[in-house]
């Protein structure tokens, strides 16, 4: 065994070895971390994939630079590009992927300690992951408020405004500020639930990371919180973060749905997962 393949906890650095680890009953507190890559197979583009990513396709929105669509100062100046994007991403237009269903299956089997997601598409909820096990680190489209006086804005009205990509104003006429869904823009504070649960990855006995470039902080720091000897499994098109530097890191580089199917087949859960998924 070369230095490279030496492990502490797993029999080797393979998806099969992680399945073996789960089957042995040693993974009961699984922490999952996800990003836009888990939803690309649902038809929602991610940010940074070359050619298909949103950053590549925002030119038509007339932005000074792509990130401006999620900058609060630019939003004050021109909220329309954000609303054009919101219309595309709005929950209800997409079906969860098999990878989303896998997280729900872990919860069903009482193996999911927590899911941290950077996504704002609400597909984790749609897949049946219990809301109390989800930390939406970058907020969601579930609620919205005025960016000035913070007065909440009604859901039904919001849906209409997003459908027509027209930015609404505060319900308090004397305020009139712009209304924004409670998704986190650059430079904005993450929700309290993120900070309240930020040390949970330290309690994990297995960490699974799916479809994220791990470029956005503080989320990007979560996988590093796993204790030494805790296996970390990555399903992503590319190597990200510090994955590969630890003895029990397992990297599946490719489509996450393919990797997840491989894992569940090794676990003998394949039929159960496919059934759960088609019934969503
Ligand atoms: P990102 O920076 O675009 O990275 C996505 C990562 O996923 C990249 O490393 C890709 O290689 C990888 N990837 C893409 N497709 C697949 C696939 N099918 N299988 C495996 N890997 C794949 O996105 P992050 O989530 O890391 O960036 C954080 C931002 C993106 C968050 O603030 C999100 O709110 C935001 N975002 C969310 C959505 C959504 O809600 N679905 C969509 C686009 C952007």
């Amino acid at each position: 065994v070369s230095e490279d393949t030496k492990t502490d906890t797993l029999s080797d650095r393979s998806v099969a070895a992680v399945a073996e680890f789960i089957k042995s009953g040693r993974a009961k507190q699984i922490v999952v971390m996800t990003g836009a890559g888990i939803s690309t197979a649902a038809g929602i583009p991610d940010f940074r994939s070359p050619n298909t990513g949103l950053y590549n396709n925002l030119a038509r929105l007339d932005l000074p630079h792509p990130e401006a669509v999620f900058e609060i100062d630019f939003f004050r100046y021109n909220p329309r590009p954000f609303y054009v994007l919101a219309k595309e991403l709005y929950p209800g237009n997409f079906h969860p992927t098999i990878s989303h269903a896998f997280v729900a299956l872990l919860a069903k089997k009482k193996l999911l300690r927590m899911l941290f997601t950077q996504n704002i598409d609400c597909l984790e909820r749609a897949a049946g992951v219990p809301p109390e096990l989800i930390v939406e680190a970058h907020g969601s489209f579930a609620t919205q408020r005025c960016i000035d006086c913070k007065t909440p804005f009604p859901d039904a009205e919001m849906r209409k405004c997003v459908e027509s990509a027209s930015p609404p104003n505060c319900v308090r006429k004397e305020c009139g500020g712009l209304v924004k869904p409670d998704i986190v823009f650059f430079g904005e504070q993450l929700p309290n639930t993120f900070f309240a649960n930020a040390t949970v990855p330290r309690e994990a006995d297995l960490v699974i990371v799916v479809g994220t470039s791990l470029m956005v902080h503080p989320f990007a720091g979560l996988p590093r919180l796993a204790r030494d000897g805790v296996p970390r499994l990555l399903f992503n098109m590319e190597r990200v973060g510090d994955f590969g530097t630890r003895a029990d890191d397992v990297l599946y580089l490719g489509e996450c749905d393919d990797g997840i199917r491989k894992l569940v087949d090794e676990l003998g859960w394949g039929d159960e997962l496919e059934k759960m998924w088609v019934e969503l």
Side-chain angles (χ1 to χ4, degrees):
V1 178
S2 77
E3 199 59 37
D4 218 12
T5 54
K6 236 194 225 161
T7 59
D8 294 331
T9 308
L10 299 170
S11 55
D12 59 49
R13 291 174 153 206
S14 69
V15 171
V18 176
E20 209 48 55
F21 180 69
I22 296 173
K23 277 199 275 189
S24 75
R26 286 186 290 162
K28 291 199 173 70
Q29 303 277 324
I30 303 176
V31 174
V32 180
M33 298 153 194
T34 63
I38 196 176
S39 296
T40 52
I44 306 174
D46 66 5
F47 275 169
R48 295 182 182 80
S49 280
N51 305 321
T52 55
L54 284 172
Y55 279 166
N56 243 291
N57 292 297
L58 290 173
R60 65 196 160 91
L61 297 182
D62 204 15
L63 295 161
H65 50 271
E67 288 86 352
V69 72
F70 292 118
E71 284 169 4
I72 199 75
D73 288 343
F74 183 79
F75 181 82
R76 276 181 196 284
Y77 162 74
N78 181 6
R80 269 174 219 290
F82 169 77
Y83 273 86
V84 170
L85 195 66
K87 187 181 175 189
E88 273 176 43
L89 293 184
Y90 207 59
N93 297 335
F94 301 95
H95 193 265
T97 65
I98 195 99
S99 298
H100 289 106
F102 169 70
V103 186
L105 182 60
L106 287 179
K108 188 176 158 207
K109 293 185 179 292
K110 307 261 179 282
L111 300 178
L112 181 69
R113 175 72 171 82
M114 197 150 279
L115 165 66
F116 290 85
T117 181
Q118 297 165 93
N119 294 345
I120 50 179
D121 54 30
C122 296
L123 286 182
E124 307 83 6
R125 289 167 191 254
V129 181
E132 66 274 16
L133 297 184
I134 307 174
V135 174
E136 288 165 331
H138 294 166
S140 82
F141 280 106
T143 55
Q144 53 282 321
R145 67 199 65 248
C146 169
I147 60 171
D148 292 326
C149 73
K150 311 295 175 202
T151 302
F153 187 82
D155 296 347
E157 281 297 305
M158 188 64 188
R159 181 165 277 277
K160 281 186 215 152
C161 293
V162 172
E163 272 162 15
S164 58
S166 38
N169 291 96
C170 186
V171 288
R172 289 177 56 241
K173 291 277 177 289
E174 66 275 25
C175 170
L178 281 165
V179 172
K180 175 178 92 50
D182 290 334
I183 65 170
V184 179
F185 275 28
F186 290 117
E188 283 189 316
Q189 181 80 295
L190 272 58
N192 289 337
T193 52
F194 177 83
F195 296 104
N197 291 292
T199 57
V200 167
R202 289 202 189 114
E203 296 159 27
D205 45 26
L206 172 64
V207 167
I208 302 179
V209 175
V210 191
T212 168
S213 61
L214 291 181
M215 300 272 275
V216 181
H217 291 274
F219 191 100
L222 294 177
R224 289 170 197 259
L225 297 180
R227 285 165 294 139
D228 285 343
V230 168
R232 302 187 308 170
L233 173 57
L234 173 72
F235 294 108
N236 211 55
M237 299 299 271
E238 52 181 350
R239 198 187 73 78
V240 291
D242 69 340
F243 267 89
T245 62
R246 295 194 189 179
D248 291 286
D249 284 348
V250 176
L251 283 69
Y252 180 96
L253 301 184
E255 296 281 340
C256 56
D257 287 355
D258 295 345
I260 297 272
R261 281 200 165 96
K262 189 172 156 70
L263 177 65
V264 293
D265 285 346
E266 296 281 355
L267 284 163
W269 301 349
D271 292 344
E272 191 179 359
L273 180 63
E274 297 290 341
K275 187 165 178 291
M276 249 179 97
W277 185 50
V278 296
E279 286 173 0
L280 284 174

